[in-house]
Amino acid sequence: MFLINCPYCGERDQQEFKAGGEAHIERPKHPTELSDDEWAEYLFMRKNIKGVQFERWNHAHGCRKWFNMARDTSNDEIKAIYKMGEKPPTQ
Amino acid sequence: MTQNLRVKSSEFIDETNRISFKFDGKTYYGFKGDTLASALIANNVHLVGRSFKYHRPRGIMTSGSEEPNAIVQVNPNSNITEPNARATEIEIYEGLEASSQNCWPSVNFDIGGINNFLAPLFPAGFYYKTFMWPKSFWEKYEFFIRHSAGLGKSPNTRDPDIYDHRNIHCDVLVVGAGISGILAAKNAAKNNFKTLLLDEKNELGGSTIFEANEDNKINHNSASEWLKKEINELKNIKNLEIKTRTSVAAYHQYNYLLARENLTDHLVKKDKKNKIRQRLLKIRAKKVILATGALERPLIFNNNDRPGIMLSSAIKKYSNFYGVACGTKNIFFTNNDSAYESALSLHNKGIKVEAIIDIRENSDAKIIKKINDAGIKIYWSHTIVDTRGYKRLSGVSIMKLSNDGTSVIGSKISISCNCLGIAGGWTPAVHLYTQSGSKLTFDEERKIFIPKTDTKEQISVGSCGGDFELDEIITNLNYKLKNFLDINKTDFEGITLENDHETSKRNIWLLPSDQTIGKTKPFVDYQNDATAKDIKLALREGFRSIEHVKRYTTTGMGTDQGKLGNMHALGIIADIAGVKMGELGTTTFRPPYTPLTFGTIVGRNVGEFFDTFRRTPMNDWHIKNKAEFENVGQWKRSWYYPKEDETMHQAVQRESKAARQSAGILDASTLGKIDIQGSDASEFLNRVYTNAWSKLAIGKCRYGLMLNEDGMVYDDGVTTRLGENHYIMTTTTGGAANVLGKLEDYLQTEWPELDVYLTSVTDHFATASLCGPNSKKILNKIIPDLDLSDDIFPHMSFKEVLIDKIKCRIMRISFTGELSYEINAPASYGEAIWQKCIEAGKEFNITPYGTETMHLLRAEKGFIIVGQDTDGTMTPIDLQMDWIVSKKKYDFIGKRSLYRSDTMKEDRKQLVGLLTEDPNIVLEEGAQIISELNQKPVEMLGHVTSSYFSPNLNKSIALAVVKDGKNMMGRKLFVPMENKNISVIVANTVFYDEKNERLNA
């Protein structure tokens, strides 16, 4: 059970949060101009890596804010938490 | 008369407090402080159970939570009965009752014992191999297998006890209150860390507290006396909370631990009353110190499971702590020096020790001399090759070991005894350490798995960290604590330590016998009757992974999770496979460390609190008017209102007719309601719904369909424009929370530039939906001032009105196809408004109807219910709702997906109507649809999604999804049921009032 440092509320138990999948996948601005393959890439393709993964999380039972997390999937270490719209940490 | 084996007063036992208890129906006596195990042993009762597979007689083996054999049914035949409780952990109290498990008719005469003699027929994997053929017989086999499976009996009535959960936050959590744990906790607390110390036993001090080895000294005192003083000082330390009878069950990431605190199990019945029995502690600790100790290993030899064969350390605890002799003629069998301490302890109390059998060639420990001085014979380099005695050990046969330890030589010596202490070395209790995600490393020389790393948040100290000898323990603890807590000094730094050191080691995982392995029974897992022979068989049959061998042989899969024998299983596998144990790894250590009751896990979340209900403001009225309820999500919704002895079908038919002929009223309060405000609210709706919203006038309502980005229908509902920048959206009852979540997601992450605010107002409004040709007249009676003419208040529009000074929102919208008004009142006035409608509607025979009638009426109109007629694979086009998908809008959620090659396919499953050829047959929802009767295998074209008998049409109607359904209008299909094929005709989805004339009737 993670202890997640919500950027708006502080440290809270994982059960207050909802995971929202891979982060930094932007919805295409002009979907109609995309081929089926390009659209499918956005719609379906997600990474599932062993190592540091960037994820979206939502403080669903708290402030309801979305934010991003860099998590090492091999040991569940949370490397960084940063707000929506912010760039992922480089290390 | 039972024999009394109480040999010496013990300071831990209150001999002035005699307690009677029953075991297998017979009354025995013990003292306050006894466990069920120690009290039984004091009464010379060793046979307490039968093994799982062979029903072999089994006795008490240990003195703690690792006990594999002495598992009993506590308080049998009562509503507080508990199976699989360990006799070694149950503290006796006046009135305690317990009985043996896995035996019939009794533990002394057990029919299942025949399995022991049939054992050659029951190798590992017996059930997998035997009961596979013929396949059709499985059901018959299953009955008998189930009958003989399982340990103990679960209670069959409601658990009357109270359980609780508690959250604890601390700086330092110390698990285990042996010498290491006590010193660690004391020093943490003294340095201003908020500290919590837990131990599963009722006494602090671990094994040091009853230590009697005169060679172990701290500050020139015996270690136990020194520790007692340390424990006494704990009382005066601030910042320290101590919980005994508290077993840590799980250690999750981020130092989140679960522990079970046992509060009343040791109390007499009247003191238990109205008290919390067990409490689950949910602990978040900044730092965790594991001081969980070590478990003694047995030795694996032929017939090593008879009652009277015990761990050497357990025999020592029974004699030193409980003052009980486990036998009158004792033998020890060992591969290390610790058995000599046990032997000397017994000898010093006048309990007879016949001999010590040691597989090592010698030892130069000081204690050997004392054993020699005591006149106890030591057989060096010998092993036990067999044991005797069925319900109680009566003797052992020993032989000399060959130099390589793989065989025995010379002649057999027979020694009689009634208790055998076995000492196979020590296994650090690393269970919690590995549960936390940390990795182990194998110490090849000492044959133990030990923690690989300490971190800033966690350390392992004492024997669970691989330190077994006193000086090692204290020195390393001092060093580790200073680093971990970042302190300069501990209060035990510089104490003087004296102890013996073990120098001679010999480890043989499976000890040889003079008989071939096939004829022996060397048990590795006592509870599951897995022998070394079974492990060899598994390897011979090709199993290599330790996880596979475990499952095939069931080694380590009992309630004790193989705490005793798992290391031997690994060792035997490594030996046979010719690999190093370190490379083999271990099976996964999973929580809980010891079993938890269901009560502890659920705590207060039982009965009504297990899953909370949501009730509408009109709920009391529904109950008074005999509504039957249906669960919709967490909501309790009125399902139908039976009159007198009406069946559900009769009630629904009556309600449906009334709603179309005169007037009906439905409690629609559960619909999700989201208040949407902001200057970009219209643009936002444009993006989330498939249809256009910018031109919706203030005061008008519109139906909207929401898709997922994959183009599949996600939710639907009517949204009303209350003002220039203000909308109220309704969602399905079950989808409300998810829709809000999804909308928030888009607002915050994809379109943060939009000025839009979302607020859930589902609970703020109660909704009464008036429906039917007379609804206008009823509403007119309630609000005479309001002009209800179609020009002023047309279909799909909204008015804000005052009813008895209560501000209400009225939407003229319809889910039934009838003229219909939804009155939204503040929740606290919901019942009053509802009552008012009922009163006003009396002269029109207003009929309250529930969800079932609502479903029927909308099905007559072909209106979909998202989640019933759709399942996440239906696009609006599949639903024949092309009209709601805007062709003009540049984008909306899911738009692009409607033009993917797959969603454009002509022959997708599509929503159609179905009419049965026989209008009286009502199809079953979920039934399959086919076109050919004699085809094998037959193609499944789709299934029925909604089906009712329509009283207004006087025939059966159904909605269904059918492959290429749009092109099948008028075609005959079949719905195959168990005994018949029902003929159906594909029809339009709208069965009633296709021109929507009734909306303005």
Side-chain angles (χ1 to χ4, degrees):
Chain A
M1 196 79 86
F2 305 167
L3 196 59
I4 297 174
N5 194 3
C6 169
Y8 306 94
C9 308
E11 283 193 337
R12 295 288 190 279
D13 193 282
Q14 186 187 344
Q15 65 183 6
E16 293 184 17
F17 297 84
K18 211 171 118 177
E22 193 180 338
H24 305 298
I25 295 175
E26 199 180 336
R27 186 175 188 273
K29 290 271 182 295
H30 309 286
T32 43
E33 289 165 24
L34 301 182
S35 68
D36 269 11
D37 284 351
E38 286 166 331
W39 181 247
E41 185 66 31
Y42 159 71
L43 197 55
F44 301 121
M45 297 307 174
R46 297 294 182 269
K47 288 188 202 120
N48 182 17
I49 52 172
K50 185 176 177 182
V52 177
Q53 181 162 288
F54 300 101
E55 300 171 334
R56 289 151 26 94
W57 283 76
N58 180 227
H59 195 183
H61 299 282
C63 63
R64 292 202 344 218
K65 285 280 195 185
W66 283 90
F67 57 89
N68 292 317
M69 179 192 288
R71 178 175 67 99
D72 189 332
T73 57
S74 67
N75 59 9
D76 281 332
E77 193 185 328
I78 298 171
K79 300 280 190 186
I81 283 176
Y82 52 104
K83 290 180 182 174
M84 275 296 152
E86 290 178 358
K87 288 214 159 58
T90 44
Q91 271 202 321
Chain B
M1 231 316 283
T2 54
Q3 203 175 343
N4 186 2
L5 290 178
R6 195 74 61 173
V7 286
K8 187 173 177 287
S9 309
S10 159
E11 60 190 292
F12 304 103
I13 299 292
D14 179 3
E15 293 198 16
T16 62
N17 193 344
R18 201 170 89 131
I19 288 168
S20 75
F21 65 96
K22 275 187 180 171
F23 183 70
D24 279 340
K26 204 171 156 188
T27 302
Y28 297 95
Y29 295 94
F31 298 118
K32 183 80 193 153
D34 265 326
T35 60
L36 179 60
S38 69
L40 285 173
I41 293 172
N43 287 283
N44 202 20
V45 176
H46 272 261
L47 172 62
V48 290
R50 292 275 179 160
S51 70
F52 186 50
K53 192 165 153 190
Y54 303 131
H55 290 250
R56 282 168 71 100
R58 289 282 164 81
I60 298 155
M61 267 206 87
T62 73
S63 59
S65 59
E66 71 271 35
E67 177 61 39
N69 288 342
I71 53 174
V72 298
Q73 185 92 28
V74 182
N75 294 310
N77 307 318
S78 75
N79 57 357
I80 56 163
T81 190
E82 184 179 348
N84 303 330
R86 292 160 297 282
T88 48
E89 287 196 304
I90 302 165
E91 294 172 50
I92 59 163
Y93 54 85
E94 191 64 40
L96 169 72
E97 283 187 47
S99 64
S100 305
Q101 294 183 166
N102 207 36
C103 52
W104 185 83
S106 81
V107 70
N108 266 303
F109 178 73
D110 175 19
I111 297 271
I114 189 103
N115 284 3
N116 184 33
F117 302 101
L118 300 175
L121 301 177
F122 295 127
F126 168 74
Y127 288 93
Y128 301 135
K129 288 169 187 162
T130 310
F131 296 110
M132 293 302 290
W133 331 103
K135 216 173 167 185
S136 58
F137 269 44
W138 168 246
E139 282 177 20
K140 291 180 181 64
Y141 293 140
E142 193 187 9
F143 175 80
F144 289 101
I145 293 172
R146 292 230 181 274
H147 193 70
S148 59
L151 287 165
K153 290 201 166 45
S154 61
N156 51 18
T157 52
R158 195 191 160 99
D159 187 341
D161 286 321
I162 309 166
Y163 301 85
D164 198 19
H165 286 181
R166 182 183 155 196
N167 288 299
I168 298 182
H169 296 262
C170 61
D171 296 326
V172 177
L173 170 69
V174 183
V175 185
I179 188 164
S180 313
I182 283 167
L183 294 179
K186 192 177 165 201
N187 280 277
K190 273 187 164 177
N191 284 284
N192 292 320
F193 291 95
K194 192 182 162 208
T195 306
L196 177 64
L197 173 64
L198 306 178
D199 197 278
E200 60 179 3
K201 302 262 187 330
N202 59 343
E203 290 274 348
L204 302 178
S207 59
T208 312
I209 205 75
F210 57 87
E211 182 62 70
N213 187 345
E214 288 162 13
D215 294 327
N216 284 354
K217 284 198 170 119
I218 303 178
N219 281 349
H220 314 295
N221 263 321
S222 78
S224 57
E225 287 308 317
W226 184 85
L227 184 59
K228 274 171 210 163
K229 272 187 220 139
E230 290 289 311
I231 291 172
N232 269 333
E233 284 175 25
L234 293 179
K235 280 176 249 155
N236 308 319
I237 297 177
K238 279 186 286 182
N239 293 325
L240 177 63
E241 186 179 359
I242 301 171
K243 286 186 179 294
T244 54
R245 300 188 176 98
T246 302
S247 167
V248 175
Y251 188 165
H252 297 293
Q253 305 144 316
Y254 291 82
N255 278 351
Y256 181 67
L257 296 92
L258 299 174
R260 186 253 299 125
E261 184 182 14
N262 209 336
L263 296 159
T264 64
D265 275 359
H266 60 291
L267 300 178
V268 298
K269 204 172 168 188
K270 72 171 171 46
D271 293 339
K272 284 183 170 57
K273 220 176 167 186
N274 297 327
K275 284 194 187 132
I276 292 164
R277 181 188 171 206
Q278 291 172 351
R279 185 183 276 140
L280 187 72
L281 307 179
K282 301 171 171 181
I283 308 164
R284 280 274 184 203
K286 291 206 178 84
K287 288 169 178 284
V288 173
I289 298 174
L290 294 171
T292 46
L295 300 171
E296 186 165 42
R297 291 176 189 169
L299 290 163
I300 311 301
F301 54 94
N302 185 23
N303 288 320
N304 58 345
D305 66 325
R306 303 196 189 280
I309 299 180
M310 305 174 72
L311 294 182
S312 148
S313 60
I315 294 175
K316 181 164 89 174
K317 180 160 187 184
Y318 286 116
S319 102
N320 291 4
F321 190 91
Y322 299 105
V324 170
C326 293
T328 47
K329 286 164 91 180
N330 297 278
I331 292 180
F332 285 91
F333 181 27
T334 185
N335 68 3
N336 66 82
D337 290 340
S338 67
Y340 293 83
E341 290 179 23
S342 303
L344 197 62
S345 251
L346 297 195
H347 178 80
N348 289 342
K349 291 186 180 62
I351 308 166
K352 190 154 195 217
V353 179
E354 299 282 328
I356 297 176
I357 300 144
D358 197 324
I359 68 170
R360 300 176 298 174
E361 276 160 22
N362 58 55
S363 164
D364 54 12
K366 283 184 212 155
I367 198 163
I368 307 297
K369 188 175 178 300
K370 291 183 186 167
I371 291 290
N372 283 330
D373 291 347
I376 299 169
K377 167 114 178 114
I378 305 172
Y379 292 91
W380 295 108
S381 202
H382 272 71
T383 183
I384 295 181
V385 293
D386 202 358
T387 64
R388 293 185 298 281
Y390 186 55
K391 290 180 200 166
R392 177 72 189 263
L393 181 72
S394 62
V396 300
S397 304
I398 67 170
M399 287 175 83
K400 196 164 171 56
L401 271 169
S402 65
N403 283 341
D404 64 359
T406 57
S407 58
V408 283
I409 46 178
S411 55
K412 218 185 279 189
I413 305 165
S414 181
I415 314 171
S416 75
C417 63
N418 54 18
C419 183
L420 171 68
I422 49 181
W426 298 85
T427 300
V430 293
H431 307 69
L432 295 177
Y433 171 83
T434 51
Q435 278 180 28
S436 76
S438 306
K439 298 279 176 276
L440 296 170
T441 181
F442 190 68
D443 180 333
E444 195 65 48
E445 197 208 327
R446 298 192 291 168
K447 305 283 180 213
I448 52 174
F449 281 100
I450 49 172
K452 198 173 188 173
T453 46
D454 288 335
T455 67
K456 272 189 291 183
E457 289 84 30
Q458 177 205 74
I459 52 171
S460 298
V461 299
S463 54
C464 76
D467 297 334
F468 296 120
E469 287 170 357
L470 186 62
D471 52 350
E472 235 176 32
I473 292 171
I474 302 292
T475 313
N476 285 337
L477 176 65
N478 182 45
Y479 169 77
K480 280 189 174 186
L481 265 189
K482 286 202 291 190
N483 268 331
F484 189 61
L485 301 176
D486 195 21
I487 54 177
N488 294 325
K489 202 176 181 320
T490 64
D491 69 349
F492 57 92
E493 196 160 351
I495 54 173
T496 62
L497 299 163
E498 295 161 51
N499 56 278
D500 215 357
H501 289 100
E502 182 168 283
T503 51
S504 172
K505 286 182 175 43
R506 188 180 196 185
N507 192 72
I508 300 170
W509 294 114
L510 171 61
L511 291 155
S513 170
D514 56 331
Q515 291 169 303
T516 59
I517 178 117
K519 296 208 167 125
T520 62
K521 284 213 185 70
F523 287 93
V524 175
D525 181 315
Y526 293 85
Q527 196 179 95
N528 275 339
D529 276 346
T531 64
K533 191 165 60 179
D534 293 322
I535 293 171
K536 287 197 166 181
L537 177 71
L539 288 159
R540 209 161 61 228
E541 293 186 356
F543 291 94
R544 282 297 173 270
S545 154
I546 169 70
E547 296 283 2
H548 291 159
V549 174
K550 164 181 165 172
R551 279 157 185 80
Y552 192 59
T553 61
T554 70
T555 303
M557 288 172 71
T559 60
D560 60 328
Q561 291 283 291
K563 291 188 179 75
L564 293 189
N566 269 2
M567 282 301 291
H568 305 80
L570 287 171
I572 291 165
I573 294 169
D575 283 351
I576 297 172
V579 294
K580 283 189 170 167
M581 269 181 86
E583 292 162 15
L584 203 59
T586 65
T587 53
T588 313
F589 295 90
R590 290 195 179 82
Y593 178 67
T594 49
L596 290 174
T597 60
F598 282 113
T600 311
I601 296 167
V602 297
R604 303 265 176 174
N605 304 319
V606 289
E608 227 185 312
F609 300 116
F610 181 68
D611 192 11
T612 46
F613 296 129
R614 298 172 80 183
R615 295 186 168 92
T616 75
M618 291 82 119
N619 191 65
D620 288 349
W621 190 94
H622 302 322
I623 291 171
K624 257 181 254 158
N625 287 274
K626 312 257 165 18
E628 292 290 330
F629 287 88
E630 173 182 36
N631 295 331
V632 184
Q634 287 181 314
W635 288 100
K636 287 276 175 200
R637 293 198 72 175
S638 319
W639 194 10
Y640 59 98
Y641 300 80
K643 276 190 173 171
E644 279 121 36
D645 39 7
E646 264 182 346
T647 62
M648 174 171 166
H649 177 73
Q650 288 165 337
V652 170
Q653 296 289 305
R654 171 179 55 74
E655 291 171 12
S656 302
K657 266 191 192 162
R660 292 225 188 275
Q661 287 168 6
S662 177
I665 184 167
L666 170 84
D667 180 356
S669 308
T670 63
L671 283 184
K673 301 177 239 350
I674 300 171
D675 186 88
I676 303 173
Q677 301 194 41
S679 55
D680 293 317
S682 302
E683 171 61 18
F684 180 66
L685 289 174
N686 256 337
R687 295 187 192 186
V688 300
Y689 279 132
T690 61
N691 45 349
W693 288 79
S694 6
K695 287 180 186 148
L696 183 68
I698 294 170
K700 298 286 184 199
C701 316
R702 184 166 288 174
Y703 173 76
L705 204 57
M706 199 182 288
L707 309 185
N708 262 332
E709 207 65 271
D710 62 6
M712 304 304 159
V713 172
Y714 182 68
D715 204 80
D716 69 345
V718 171
T719 296
T720 304
R721 189 165 195 177
L722 301 173
E724 177 64 28
N725 298 323
H726 191 189
Y727 290 85
I728 179 112
M729 173 188 278
T730 57
T731 72
T732 58
T733 296
N738 289 336
V739 170
L740 181 70
K742 180 185 161 92
L743 298 185
E744 277 284 358
D745 187 353
Y746 275 89
L747 259 187
Q748 289 181 33
T749 66
E750 297 293 350
W751 309 320
E753 74 280 7
L754 293 185
D755 174 40
V756 177
Y757 301 89
L758 306 174
T759 312
S760 167
V761 292
T762 303
D763 296 319
H764 300 53
F765 292 96
T767 308
S769 177
L770 268 177
C771 142
N774 285 322
S775 56
K776 194 180 273 184
K777 291 176 196 154
I778 296 169
L779 193 62
N780 189 44
K781 281 176 72 182
I782 300 170
I783 327 167
D785 302 342
L786 186 65
D787 186 344
L788 295 175
S789 67
D790 292 345
D791 297 339
I792 303 294
F793 196 175
H795 181 56
M796 296 308 267
S797 66
F798 140 86
K799 296 277 178 234
E800 194 156 61
V801 298
L802 288 176
I803 303 176
D804 293 346
K805 295 182 193 163
I806 302 161
K807 214 194 248 183
C808 297
R809 291 170 177 169
I810 301 179
M811 281 84 168
R812 183 171 164 190
I813 51 178
S814 176
F815 191 41
T816 59
E818 294 298 315
L819 171 68
S820 181
Y821 298 92
E822 281 190 4
I823 307 171
N824 289 276
S828 48
Y829 296 107
E831 192 173 357
I833 296 291
W834 177 272
Q835 284 280 14
K836 217 169 164 66
C837 294
I838 297 285
E839 284 303 314
K842 258 189 188 154
E843 61 177 292
F844 305 102
N845 184 30
I846 192 169
T847 303
Y849 65 91
T851 49
E852 192 63 21
T853 292
M854 173 187 81
H855 285 178
L856 190 160
L857 295 173
R858 65 86 207 177
E860 289 179 338
K861 287 291 297 171
F863 294 152
I864 59 155
I865 289 187
V866 173
Q868 178 164 343
D869 302 300
T870 74
D871 61 358
T873 65
M874 302 294 287
T875 69
I877 321 299
D878 298 336
L879 293 170
Q880 306 212 48
M881 289 172 78
D882 312 43
W883 53 271
I884 204 171
V885 181
S886 165
K887 304 267 185 309
K888 290 182 195 149
K889 282 202 292 183
Y890 181 69
D891 195 10
F892 56 80
I893 297 173
K895 173 168 176 163
R896 177 60 186 82
S897 290
L898 298 178
Y899 303 96
R900 290 180 60 240
S901 56
D902 185 57
T903 46
M904 299 255 285
K905 267 199 283 188
E906 283 293 311
D907 63 344
R908 289 172 59 82
K909 279 185 187 165
Q910 292 143 356
L911 188 76
V912 294
L914 287 185
L915 290 170
T916 47
E917 273 194 339
D918 177 347
N920 291 315
I921 296 180
V922 179
L923 298 172
E924 273 185 37
E925 287 173 1
Q928 306 289 295
I929 297 163
I930 57 172
S931 61
E932 300 291 332
L933 279 182
N934 297 316
Q935 199 180 34
K936 267 188 182 179
V938 65
E939 189 189 5
M940 198 276 272
L941 295 178
H943 66 277
V944 178
T945 59
S946 296
S947 174
Y948 306 91
F949 187 83
S950 160
N952 300 301
L953 299 162
N954 201 26
K955 65 179 178 189
S956 156
I957 57 166
L959 296 172
V961 291
V962 177
K963 194 170 155 56
D964 203 20
K966 280 185 200 173
N967 292 323
M968 286 201 183
M969 284 302 137
R971 251 192 79 175
K972 183 169 167 175
L973 297 174
F974 303 98
V975 174
M977 299 304 290
E978 201 172 355
N979 301 316
K980 61 188 170 186
N981 293 302
I982 303 167
S983 309
V984 294
I985 305 291
V986 179
N988 191 331
T989 52
V990 185
F991 301 99
Y992 189 75
D993 185 28
E994 207 169 333
K995 291 182 181 152
N996 292 327
E997 286 162 345
R998 300 188 63 84
L999 287 171
N1000 296 311

